[in-house]
Amino acid sequence: MPLEDPPTPRAITRLRFLREERRITQLDMALAIGISPATYRRLETGRMPNPPLRYLTNAAILLHVQLSDLIEDEWLKWLILEPMAGEKPTHPRLLWGIRVEELRRRKL
């Protein structure tokens, strides 16, 4: 029987790193931010793919860091929020150009 590879540990999120660096407990963070401990754990372990901005803002204020210090790289990638929204536009001007033309046709 072949040996199995050990499970790969989850990457440490920026939030967790900064919290642990300051020796703050998850419970204290959750209470200070204003969310439940379970929600905080999901946020910190990366199981919340699209966290509310307010959660991150409160955490940044509490940790005395810039909001950008908590943003994970994967959150900077295009995310389709609605199935009907479609794919990422190739260029932002194309997106706005289409919208402007649509409004002109509707005479809004």
Side-chain angles (χ1 to χ4, degrees):
M1 183 176 197
L3 295 175
E4 292 183 25
D5 290 334
T8 306
R10 287 188 71 93
I12 294 178
T13 60
R14 295 172 186 205
L15 179 59
R16 178 178 170 188
F17 175 81
L18 292 166
R19 177 188 61 78
E20 288 179 347
E21 185 178 63
R22 287 157 178 76
R23 298 183 180 175
I24 302 171
T25 67
Q26 286 183 330
L27 178 60
D28 288 342
M29 283 291 291
L31 293 173
I33 292 171
I35 59 178
S36 73
T39 298
Y40 180 80
R41 282 190 295 276
R42 286 181 39 240
L43 176 65
E44 185 179 276
T45 57
R47 290 181 291 157
M48 191 178 287
N50 189 20
L53 183 59
R54 178 47 60 195
Y55 294 0
L56 298 174
T57 302
N58 285 358
I61 292 167
L62 178 66
L63 295 169
H64 300 284
V65 298
Q66 296 295 312
L67 179 59
S68 60
D69 294 335
L70 299 179
I71 303 298
E72 299 293 331
D73 291 339
E74 63 213 41
W75 297 341
L76 297 174
K77 296 176 184 168
W78 185 265
L79 175 65
I80 296 175
L81 300 173
E82 294 289 334
M84 300 301 289
E87 296 296 318
K88 175 183 175 185
T90 56
H91 191 279
R93 287 185 183 166
L94 294 177
L95 175 66
W96 292 112
I98 291 168
R99 299 256 170 112
V100 168
E101 290 304 315
E102 182 181 326
L103 290 174
R104 285 183 183 151
R105 280 195 304 272
R106 292 182 183 179
K107 296 181 182 180
L108 296 176

